[in-house]
Amino acid sequence: MGPGKNPCNYEVNPIKRVEMRFPDFRRRAMDSLRCERAGEPSEAFYLQNTLLHREESEEGPPRPVGSFGTACGQQVGADIANFRWSWLKQMMGGRNAQMCQLFCGVAGGFSPCHYDPQDNLFAQVRGYKRVLLFHPRHWPRLYPWPVHHPQDRQSRVDFEGPDLASFPRFSELRGCGLEAVLGPGDALRIPPCWWHHVEMLPSPPDGEVVSINFWYPPPSWFYGDLAAGDMAWDKPLFGAKRVLFQRCIEDFIAQAASPAEVPEVLSMCGEQSRLPPPGSHLAEVVQDARAFVATVFPDPAEQRAVWAEVLQGRFLGLAPRGG
């Protein structure tokens, strides 16, 4: 893992990323499923691969990545080429997809609860998936990892065994989720910043689970031209745009100070720790960060709520390591 993806050098649970040919992936995934069914030790295999992509400045649908559709994936490429791209554009408000990804796995696999800033049109091809969704307003109850943590945008809560002592507000989610079970031919739109926990279900006859999705450019929390200082925003800031603004707070502090100092500055801004000496660099950062939030949330009570949301439980037990 490069330093750009973990600037604070946080300790993370290891996940192996292995390059292999698709037939080898399928064989190992099916072997793993057979071991699991027999009660033997097994590894979980999950494939996520970008098939098509386009830059934001480019027009039209996304284009094949690398040799996809020619040296590999000819049939899938031909199928995708026949998609009704004009219909997809119409369905998504006149926007072209920016990326198409392929997801492959077997029953029992899952994607931990997380959110994405992009609009996501998710289509099930083979097998079945269960998707549990939560509105962006539930950010404080799902305790996302810090923005500069490698697991950014994922919930810190283990859904199979939640630690309610560390993450007590998770219990408030009972009855708040939406459940969708997708089978072949089904599609689900996951709006920006909606939390989703995705589980691969038993899928006769062979347990294979295959999906594709289409990413659309993410929204911004504001309207207008940032460079020109001509900006406006929804009042009150709510839902996905509030989440994107909260992310912006951490980026703002990281640029003004450093990613490793984000927890300390947030704690000072939220009045949970002592302020730095007047005239110090961190004192200026705290002042600027508070002014930034006050510009968008003039009400002091709203400001306190924002600082509480970006702090509560998210940095618990974390400490940047040197280097």
Side-chain angles (χ1 to χ4, degrees), residues 55-281:
E55 300 297 332
E56 288 192 43
S57 58
E58 296 177 336
E59 296 294 330
R63 303 173 183 174
V65 172
S67 58
F68 171 70
T70 55
C72 63
Q74 291 94 338
Q75 184 58 58
V76 178
D79 291 342
I80 292 177
N82 290 323
F83 283 176
R84 294 167 57 195
W85 290 102
S86 59
W87 178 84
L88 277 175
K89 182 176 181 179
Q90 180 182 358
M91 289 293 293
M92 296 304 289
R95 297 173 297 163
N96 282 309
Q98 192 168 11
M99 186 185 302
C100 173
Q101 289 192 312
L102 173 71
F103 302 86
C104 298
V106 294
F110 68 95
S111 294
C113 189
H114 66 286
Y115 69 89
D116 301 296
Q118 302 96 332
D119 229 336
N120 182 357
L121 185 61
F122 190 90
Q124 192 64 15
V125 177
R126 184 179 178 89
Y128 294 85
K129 282 186 174 178
R130 173 182 180 263
V131 185
L132 187 60
L133 299 131
F134 297 97
H135 191 278
R137 69 175 177 270
H138 294 303
W139 158 298
R141 300 167 184 85
L142 283 159
Y143 302 91
W145 291 92
V147 166
H148 299 95
H149 191 280
Q151 292 167 269
D152 172 33
R153 296 184 289 101
Q154 286 188 24
S155 172
R156 295 194 61 179
V157 183
D158 178 0
F159 275 40
E160 299 301 316
D163 178 359
L164 296 181
S166 298
F167 309 113
R169 296 200 65 186
F170 181 74
S171 63
E172 299 173 13
L173 284 175
R174 186 178 297 275
C176 295
L178 301 173
E179 181 185 44
V181 176
L182 306 180
D186 290 337
L188 174 70
R189 182 192 173 196
I190 304 176
C193 299
W194 273 68
W195 294 85
H196 46 290
H197 181 280
V198 185
E199 178 185 0
M200 286 171 266
L201 300 177
S203 301
D206 52 18
E208 292 182 345
V209 183
V210 180
S211 317
I212 60 171
N213 82 332
F214 301 91
W215 294 111
Y216 290 79
S220 174
W221 64 268
F222 63 89
Y223 308 99
D225 187 346
L226 177 61
D230 180 19
M231 298 168 59
W233 48 84
D234 294 339
K235 300 175 183 178
L237 208 57
F238 180 74
K241 293 189 175 183
R242 186 182 181 102
V243 169
L244 295 171
F245 175 75
Q246 289 170 323
R247 292 182 59 82
C248 194
I249 295 172
E250 288 180 63
D251 282 330
F252 179 93
I253 295 171
Q255 292 175 19
S258 72
E261 292 172 302
V262 168
E264 182 181 7
V265 173
L266 287 175
S267 181
M268 294 172 181
C269 290
E271 300 179 349
Q272 296 188 15
S273 62
R274 296 178 59 181
L275 292 174
S280 66
H281 176 58

